[in-house]
C-alpha cells in the first residue's frame, strides 16, 4: 500500500493529514456475522440487531443505483472494513480522550474543550465509526435538550430511537440507505422538547481517518411541538489515493410548529488534480414535516468529495408546513456531483422553496436533479425553484434534471433556471479596479452564492466563503 | 506622466493601432476624438492591460517606467484607471462592498493601511454627491438594474474613490442626458489636480465643453494624425473627420479646415 506522504497530493486541501492512533478495525467484508459483531460490540438491544439484519437482507436484493449522471470505479463492498474504532475511547470525560484524537480536532479548528469553543456551539465529534466527544451535553440537558451520540441514545432513550429510526428513511428506501441501516456505527441524536428554542447551535463534525474503511453514520433529529433547532455538520478526511465510501443517513422529524434548520459544510477530500482518490459521498437525507405549520430548511455547501450523490428532501405532511433547500455545490478538477432535492407536498397549503447554485470548474461535472411533487390532497401548495449554474472555463459540464409532478388544479409551481459563465469582461473589469484574477473569481462566485450563504449561521458563512476560494484556486488562467 | 511611443497592436491578425504616440503631462486633460473604428477604445484597453490585444511593438511608460509587462491589476494598483464604456454587473455583490474591496486592493498593493468601513462609508457618501449618485445604490448589487446614467455615474464615483494618477474616460458621455452629463463633468472637474491627468475619449463636443481639455488629438486609422488645442473640438464638430481621411489618402500633411498648414 502506498504511503500518504508519497502521493502527488493536492496541497490546497489543508485537512489531508492522517492521525496515528491505535484502532480496533474489523477485517474487510460484510455478512450477517459482521453485523452481529458490530451490534454486539455496541451492546445493542435485540430489536436493533434484528433491524440491522433485516436491512442487510433487503440490501442483498438491491442493486447499486446508476441513474445519476456520474462515472466512478465500482465499489468493492467486500474490500471495505465496516467498523473502525480508536482503542482509547472514553465517553465519560473529555480529559480521558486520546490526546492524538483531541489534537486532530484541534488541528481541524474544532477544539473539544468546552471553554475554548465558539460561544454558543455544541459539538458531537465523530472519528471514523464512533462518536468520541459531545460537548455541552449537561448544559443542554438542563433545558431538556438531548444531544448525544446515537449509540448512547439507543441505551438511554430506546423508545424514542425505536419509534423514529427508519421512520423517515425506510430500510428499503434505496441501496445506500439499506447498507447504512445494516452497518451504521454512530452519529448524532437530538431531541428538542416542546416549546423549547435550543439555546445553542448544535453541530457534528465527521472525520474519516482509518484507511480502507467506510463511514456510515446515522443522524436522527426530532423537534417536538413548537421547538426550534439549528444544526450544522462539517466533515473532512485525509488525502489518499484510494476512494473511501461515506454512506450516511440523516432523518429529521418536525412536529407541530417546530422548525429544524439543518446546514452542511461538506469538505471531504476531493481527490487530487488528476482525479485520483477522494471520498464517494453517497448520502440520504430526508426530513418529515409531520406537524401542521412545521418547517424544515436544508442548507448545504458542497465543496469536497470525488463523487457526490445527495438529495436532501422534505416530506410536507402537515398542513401549512414549509420545506426549503438552499444549496451551493462547487466542483473543480475531476470532481462529480449529482445533487438536488425532493419536495413532496402532501398537506394543504404546503410551501417549498428551492435555491440551487452550481459552480463547475476544471474538468468537473455537475448535475442538479430535483423533484417537486404536489399530491392530490395538497391543495393550495406552492413551490418556487431557482436553479442557477455558473461555469468557469470550457472543459466542465453543468446539467439540470428538474421533474415537476402536479396532481391537483389548485397549486402554483414556478421554475427558473439560468446558466452563465464568468465573463472575460467581468474579470477584466475587476482587475482594472486592482483585484487579482483569483480575488475577482472569488468575488463573482460569492455574489452568485449570496442567496444561499445568507441562510448559513454567521461564522459558517465566513468559513464557506473561504472554502469556496480554496476549491476554486487555479480554476482560471 | 504617461508616455506612449510608436504603439502597434492587433486583434488577432488585424492591426488596429499602427504606430500611435502620445505624451500626457501631469495635471493635464487630453481628449481623443476620431471616427468609429479608428482605435479609440483599443487604445484605452491596451493602456489598461487587456489581454485580448496583441501588442506588436512600442512602449507605454508611467512616470518613466514601462508598464508593458504589468498585468491589468498591477497597472490599476499603480494608479491607472479606466472608466468603462459598458460597465459590467456583478450580481450579489453590493456596490459598497465592491468599491471598498477595490480601494483596499490598491491600498494594500501600495503598502498602505486598508480603509476601514466607517471612513469608507463617510468618504463614499461625500463623493457620490460629486457625481449626483443616489446613495441607495451603495447597497444594491453592482450595476444590476442600474440605468445607463447610473452606471456612468458609478464609474466616475469609483474614479473619485480610487484617486488614480491617470484616468481614461472611454465614452463616458454615451447614454447620459444633458443634465447628467453636466453633473458627471462637474465630478471629473472636482478630481482635477496638478498630479493627476485625464484622457477623455469621445465622439461629441458636449462633454469637452464642460471639461475644457488642454490638448485635443485626432485619431484616424490607428494613429494620432493631428494635435491641437480646445478650438479643434469645434472644428471637428463642424467638419467631421472626412477632411483628415482625405488628406491622408492623398498623402498630404494633415491640416484642419481653417487652420494654417
Amino acid at each position: 500500500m502506498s504511503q500518504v506522504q508519497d502521493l502527488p497530493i493536492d496541497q490546497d486541501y489543508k485537512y489531508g493529514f492522517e492521525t496515528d492512533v491505535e484502532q480496533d478495525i474489523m477485517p474487510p467484508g460484510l455478512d450477517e456475522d459482521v453485523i452481529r459483531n458490530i451490534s454486539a460490540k455496541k451492546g445493542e438491544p435485540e430489536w436493533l440487531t434484528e433491524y440491522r439484519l433485516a436491512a442487510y437482507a433487503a440490501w442483498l436484493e438491491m442493486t447499486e443505483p446508476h441513474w445519476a449522471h456520474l462515472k466512478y470505479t465500482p465499489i468493492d463492498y467486500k474490500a471495505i472494513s465496516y467498523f473502525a474504532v480508536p482503542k482509547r475511547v472514553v465517553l465519560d470525560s473529555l480529559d480521558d480522550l486520546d490526546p492524538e484524537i483531541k489534537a486532530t480536532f484541534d488541528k481541524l479548528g474544532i477544539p473539544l474543550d468546552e471553554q475554548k469553543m465558539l460561544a454558543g456551539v455544541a459539538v458531537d465529534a465523530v472519528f471514523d465509526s464512533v462518536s468520541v466527544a459531545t460537548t455541552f451535553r449537561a448544559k443542554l440537558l438542563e433545558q431538556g435538550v438531548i444531544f448525544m451520540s446515537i449509540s448512547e441514545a439507543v441505551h438511554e432513550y430506546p423508545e424514542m430511537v425505536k419509534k423514529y429510526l427508519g421512520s423517515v428513511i425506510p430500510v428499503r428506501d434505496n441501496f445506500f440507505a439499506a447498507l447504512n441501516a445494516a452497518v451504521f456505527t454512530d452519529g448524532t441524536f437530538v431531541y428538542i422538547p416542546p416549546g423549547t428554542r435550543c439555546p445553542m447551535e448544535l453541530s457534528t463534525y465527521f472525520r474519516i481517518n482509518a484507511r480502507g474503511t467506510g463511514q456510515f453514520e446515522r443522524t436522527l433529529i426530532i423537534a417536538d411541538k413548537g421547538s426550534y433547532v439549528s444544526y450544522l455538520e462539517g466533515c473532512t478526511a485525509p488525502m489518499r489515493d484510494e476512494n473511501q465510501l461515506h454512506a450516511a443517513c440523516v432523518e429529521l422529524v418536525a412536529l407541530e410548529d417546530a422548525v429544524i434548520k439543518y446546514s452542511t459544510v461538506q469538505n471531504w477530500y476531493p481527490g487530487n488534480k488528476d482525479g485520483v482518490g477522494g471520498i464517494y459521498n453517497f448520502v440520504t437525507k430526508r426530513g418529515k414535516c409531520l406537524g401542521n405549520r412545521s418547517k424544515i430548511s436544508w442548507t448545504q455547501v458542497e465543496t469536497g468529495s470525488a463523487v457526490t450523490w445527495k438529495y436532501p428532501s422534505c416530506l410536507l405532511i402537515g398542513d401549512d408546513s414549509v420545506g426549503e433547500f438552499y444549496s451551493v455545490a462547487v466542483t473543480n478538477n475531476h470532481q462529480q456531483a449529482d445533487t438536488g432535492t425532493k419536495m413532496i407536498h402532501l398537506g394543504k397549503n404546503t410551501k417549498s422553496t428551492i435555491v440551487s447554485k452550481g459552480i463547475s470548474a476544471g474538468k468537473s461535472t455537475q448535475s442538479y436533479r430535483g423533484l417537486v411533487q404536489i399530491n392530490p390532497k395538497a391543495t393550495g401548495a406552492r413551490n418556487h425553484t431557482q436553479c442557477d449554474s455558473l461555469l468557469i472555463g470550457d472543459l466542465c459540464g453543468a446539467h439540470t434534471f428538474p421533474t415537476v409532478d402536479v396532481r391537483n388544479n389548485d397549486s402554483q409551481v414556478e421554475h427558473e433556471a439560468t446558466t452563465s459563465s464568468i465573463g472575460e469582461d467581468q474579470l477584466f473589469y475587476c482587475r482594472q479596479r486592482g483585484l487579482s484574477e483569483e480575488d475577482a473569481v472569488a468575488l463573482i462566485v460569492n455574489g452568485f452564492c449570496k442567496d444561499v450563504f445568507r441562510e448559513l449561521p454567521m461564522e459558517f458563512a465566513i468559513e464557506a466563503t473561504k472554502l469556496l476560494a480554496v476549491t476554486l484556486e487555479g480554476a482560471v488562467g | 506622466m504617461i508616455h506612449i511611443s510608436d504603439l502597434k497592436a492587433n486583434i488577432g491578425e488585424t492591426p488596429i493601432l499602427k504606430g500611435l504616440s502620445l505624451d500626457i503631462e501631469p495635471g493635464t486633460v487630453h481628449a481623443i476624438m476620431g471616427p468609429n473604428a479608428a482605435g479609440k477604445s483599443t487604445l484605452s484597453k491596451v493602456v489598461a492591460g487587456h489581454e485580448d490585444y496583441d501588442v506588436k511593438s512600442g512602449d507605454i511608460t508611467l512616470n518613466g517606467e514601462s508598464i508593458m509587462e504589468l498585468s491589468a491589476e498591477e497597472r490599476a494598483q499603480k494608479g491607472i484607471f479606466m472608466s468603462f464604456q459598458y460597465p459590467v454587473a456583478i450580481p450579489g455583490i453590493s456596490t459598497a462592498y465592491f468599491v471598498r474591496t477595490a480601494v483596499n486592493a490598491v491600498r494594500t498593493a501600495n503598502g498602505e493601511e486598508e480603509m476601514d468601513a466607517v471612513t469608507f462609508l463617510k468618504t463614499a457618501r461625500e463623493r457620490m454627491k460629486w457625481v449626483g449618485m443616489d446613495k441607495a445604490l451603495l447597497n444594491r448589487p453592482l450595476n444590476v438594474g442600474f440605468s445607463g446614467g447610473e452606471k456612468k455615474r458609478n464609474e466616475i464615483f469609483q474614479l473619485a474613490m480610487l484617486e488614480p494618477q491617470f484616468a481614461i474616460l472611454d465614452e463616458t458621455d454615451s447614454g447620459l442626458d444633458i443634465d447628467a452629463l453636466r453633473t458627471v463633468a462637474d465630478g471629473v472637474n472636482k478630481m482635477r489636480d496638478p498630479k493627476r491627468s485625464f484622457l477623455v475619449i469621445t465622439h461629441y463636443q458636449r462633454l469637452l465643453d464642460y471639461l475644457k481639455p488642454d490638448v485635443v488629438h485626432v485619431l484616424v486609422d490607428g494613429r494620432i494624425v493631428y494635435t491641437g488645442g480646445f478650438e479643434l473640438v469645434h472644428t471637428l464638430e463642424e467638419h467631421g473627420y472626412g477632411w483628415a481621411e482625405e488628406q491622408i489618402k492623398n498623402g498630404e500633411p494633415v491640416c484642419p479646415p481653417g487652420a494654417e498648414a
Side-chain angles (χ1 to χ4, degrees):
Chain A
M1 216 187 264
S2 61
Q3 292 296 304
V4 173
Q5 44 273 46
D6 295 334
L7 291 174
I9 51 171
D10 185 349
Q11 294 303 332
D12 295 336
Y13 189 75
K14 65 175 177 172
Y15 308 105
F17 62 90
E18 186 173 355
T19 309
D20 188 13
V21 57
E22 249 196 297
Q23 288 201 310
D24 178 4
I25 302 185
M26 270 191 201
L30 187 58
D31 55 28
E32 285 202 5
D33 288 342
V34 169
I35 291 165
R36 283 184 200 283
N37 204 351
I38 292 174
S39 202
K41 273 180 190 286
K42 301 176 79 67
E44 284 173 355
E46 176 97 19
W47 67 266
L48 191 50
T49 315
E50 291 306 317
Y51 176 86
R52 288 175 180 280
L53 289 171
Y56 177 66
W59 179 71
L60 284 177
E61 289 167 18
M62 298 166 101
T63 47
E64 200 181 289
H66 288 287
W67 41 260
H69 194 75
L70 301 168
K71 276 185 197 154
Y72 56 93
T73 21
I75 300 166
D76 182 359
Y77 293 94
K78 292 191 182 74
I80 298 172
S81 167
Y82 290 84
F83 194 70
V85 176
K87 278 194 173 146
R88 289 179 56 195
V89 179
V90 181
L91 295 164
D92 296 340
S93 159
L94 287 173
D95 302 333
D96 297 334
L97 186 62
D98 188 322
E100 283 293 331
I101 293 176
K102 211 164 164 182
T104 300
F105 283 98
D106 273 342
K107 211 165 158 184
L108 295 169
I110 318 285
L112 298 177
D113 299 327
E114 290 184 356
Q115 60 271 33
K116 281 193 206 156
M117 304 228 14
L118 270 174
V121 183
V123 176
D124 183 19
V126 175
F127 191 84
D128 289 328
S129 301
V130 70
S131 167
V132 292
T134 309
T135 63
F136 295 111
R137 278 175 62 164
K139 196 174 165 196
L140 287 164
L141 200 56
E142 283 169 20
Q143 308 218 12
V145 173
I146 303 169
F147 178 51
M148 59 173 57
S149 77
I150 200 156
S151 304
E152 294 166 276
V154 165
H155 296 288
E156 295 187 32
Y157 301 95
E159 288 313 311
M160 204 140 45
V161 176
K162 198 172 173 181
K163 182 173 175 190
Y164 289 108
L165 184 73
S167 73
V168 187
I169 305 172
V171 161
R172 292 178 169 273
D173 189 79
N174 69 71
F175 181 84
F176 296 111
L179 178 63
N180 176 285
V183 303
F184 77 91
T185 44
D186 222 332
T188 307
F189 177 81
V190 175
Y191 170 77
I192 315 291
T196 305
R197 190 181 170 91
C198 184
M200 46 178 95
E201 297 271 345
L202 302 184
S203 79
T204 303
Y205 196 91
F206 296 103
R207 174 73 178 171
I208 293 179
N209 185 61
R211 180 183 292 278
T213 61
Q215 194 174 51
F216 306 91
E217 86 271 4
R218 185 111 198 166
T219 298
L220 179 56
I221 299 176
I222 301 141
D224 214 323
K225 290 178 185 174
S227 68
Y228 170 92
V229 63
S230 169
Y231 177 92
L232 184 122
E233 60 169 8
C235 30
T236 57
M239 293 185 273
R240 293 226 172 91
D241 60 351
E242 63 176 357
N243 293 112
Q244 283 180 284
L245 175 63
H246 172 254
C249 281
V250 175
E251 297 180 284
L252 311 182
V253 180
L255 302 182
E256 238 171 69
D257 296 301
V259 177
I260 302 177
K261 199 171 154 54
Y262 192 105
S263 314
T264 304
V265 176
Q266 187 266 105
N267 189 24
W268 295 116
Y269 178 53
N272 73 3
K273 287 201 163 64
D274 302 314
V276 177
I279 302 291
Y280 289 165
N281 190 37
F282 298 156
V283 170
T284 307
K285 292 184 169 176
R286 195 171 304 156
K288 220 180 206 179
C289 282
L290 208 50
N292 293 344
R293 296 170 304 280
S294 59
K295 176 178 169 182
I296 289 178
S297 179
W298 298 100
T299 304
Q300 61 172 15
V301 178
E302 301 279 318
T303 64
S305 296
V307 181
T308 296
W309 178 97
K310 182 181 168 190
Y311 316 90
S313 303
C314 294
L315 298 171
L316 303 170
I317 297 166
D319 291 346
D320 301 295
S321 62
V322 177
E324 293 175 340
F325 174 73
Y326 296 96
S327 171
V328 165
V330 197
T331 50
N332 196 1
N333 299 316
H334 290 266
Q335 280 177 278
Q336 304 175 67
D338 194 301
T339 183
T341 186
K342 290 188 276 188
M343 293 291 175
I344 312 294
H345 292 255
L346 296 158
K348 290 187 181 63
N349 303 316
T350 46
K351 194 180 150 199
S352 63
T353 304
I354 299 171
V355 178
S356 166
K357 304 276 181 175
I359 301 141
S360 325
K363 293 177 180 167
S364 66
T365 312
Q366 196 175 123
S367 307
Y368 167 81
R369 191 180 300 276
L371 169 66
V372 175
Q373 188 182 77
I374 314 265
N375 286 280
K377 284 183 181 166
T379 48
R382 276 184 296 160
N383 162 267
H384 180 81
T385 300
Q386 174 76 45
C387 188
D388 300 320
S389 305
L390 185 69
L391 302 172
I392 303 176
D394 51 12
L395 298 173
C396 54
H399 312 269
T400 310
F401 303 100
T403 306
V404 176
D405 176 8
V406 181
R407 302 180 187 178
N408 69 40
N409 294 322
D410 187 27
S411 296
Q412 197 182 327
V413 175
E414 297 164 24
H415 183 94
E416 285 178 51
T418 66
T419 301
S420 55
S421 52
I422 292 193
E424 286 294 321
D425 49 346
Q426 273 180 322
L427 284 179
F428 178 64
Y429 186 86
C430 293
R431 294 175 67 194
Q432 205 300 307
R433 298 295 137 94
L435 275 67
S436 72
E437 187 154 22
E438 279 184 352
D439 288 347
V441 170
L443 185 90
I444 294 165
V445 169
N446 277 327
F448 178 76
C449 300
K450 196 186 171 197
D451 292 346
V452 175
F453 283 176
R454 67 167 167 230
E455 297 296 324
L456 285 172
M458 181 67 157
E459 45 283 33
F460 299 114
I462 294 164
E463 186 65 29
T465 306
K466 283 189 204 150
L467 253 179
L468 222 61
V470 171
T471 306
L472 291 173
E473 238 164 59
V476 175
Chain B
M1 169 169 277
I2 281 272
H3 180 78
I4 300 173
S5 53
D6 198 27
L7 190 64
K8 291 179 181 164
N10 290 6
I11 294 183
E13 295 298 309
T14 316
I16 308 289
L17 301 181
K18 302 172 180 172
L20 185 147
S21 298
L22 192 60
D23 269 311
I24 299 175
E25 295 307 319
T28 60
V29 175
H30 287 230
I32 287 194
M33 302 185 77
N36 283 328
K40 301 189 300 288
S41 282
T42 298
L43 173 64
S44 61
K45 284 178 183 155
V46 169
V47 173
H50 200 294
E51 284 152 7
D52 280 359
Y53 298 87
D54 185 10
V55 178
K56 291 293 182 187
S57 65
D59 198 10
I60 306 170
T61 62
L62 174 68
N63 302 327
E65 283 177 43
S66 176
I67 60 166
M68 298 307 282
E69 297 301 317
L70 300 183
S71 65
E73 56 267 36
E74 287 167 327
R75 295 180 197 203
Q77 290 157 2
K78 285 199 180 293
I80 293 177
F81 178 91
M82 173 178 151
S83 163
F84 283 61
Q85 187 180 356
Y86 304 108
V88 303
I90 304 184
I93 296 295
S94 71
T95 302
Y97 186 82
F98 179 81
V99 178
R100 193 168 155 231
T101 305
V103 166
N104 286 334
V106 171
R107 285 181 166 231
T108 308
N110 289 294
E112 294 164 29
E113 290 255 316
E114 291 199 353
M115 187 185 273
D116 64 76
V118 177
T119 315
F120 172 82
L121 219 56
K122 189 168 160 263
T123 317
R125 288 206 176 115
E126 166 197 309
R127 297 196 182 173
M128 287 177 105
K129 275 190 207 145
W130 292 4
V131 293
M133 188 170 157
D134 181 356
K135 66 176 187 292
L137 295 180
L138 267 185
N139 295 321
R140 284 197 16 209
L142 185 78
N143 291 331
V144 176
F146 285 26
S147 70
E150 284 169 337
K151 286 182 187 174
K152 292 302 174 75
R153 289 172 202 259
N154 192 7
E155 290 296 285
I156 304 305
F157 160 62
Q158 292 181 46
L159 184 149
M161 291 303 292
L162 287 161
E163 304 179 342
Q165 294 190 55
F166 174 60
I168 305 166
L169 309 187
D170 189 3
E171 309 225 5
T172 296
D173 44 1
S174 67
L176 287 182
D177 62 40
I178 191 89
D179 294 327
L181 189 72
R182 181 194 286 269
T183 331
V184 166
D186 286 347
V188 174
N189 282 331
K190 274 213 171 67
M191 291 298 295
R192 290 185 70 162
D193 181 289
K195 288 187 191 143
R196 181 173 294 132
S197 47
F198 293 86
L199 180 62
V200 184
I201 293 172
T202 180
H203 278 295
Y204 306 106
Q205 177 189 339
R206 260 180 7 211
L207 177 64
L208 298 178
D209 282 343
Y210 294 122
L211 294 182
K212 301 269 183 303
D214 304 291
V215 186
V216 178
H217 307 275
V218 181
L219 178 63
V220 175
D221 193 25
R223 270 181 287 255
I224 304 283
V225 296
Y226 191 84
T227 296
F230 181 57
E231 72 289 345
L232 187 56
V233 173
H234 299 282
T235 310
L236 292 170
E237 189 76 13
E238 195 177 328
H239 299 281
Y241 306 99
W243 53 272
E245 287 164 323
E246 190 69 20
Q247 287 167 351
I248 292 164
K249 205 170 93 188
N250 298 335
E252 295 164 15
V254 176
C255 177
E260 289 183 22

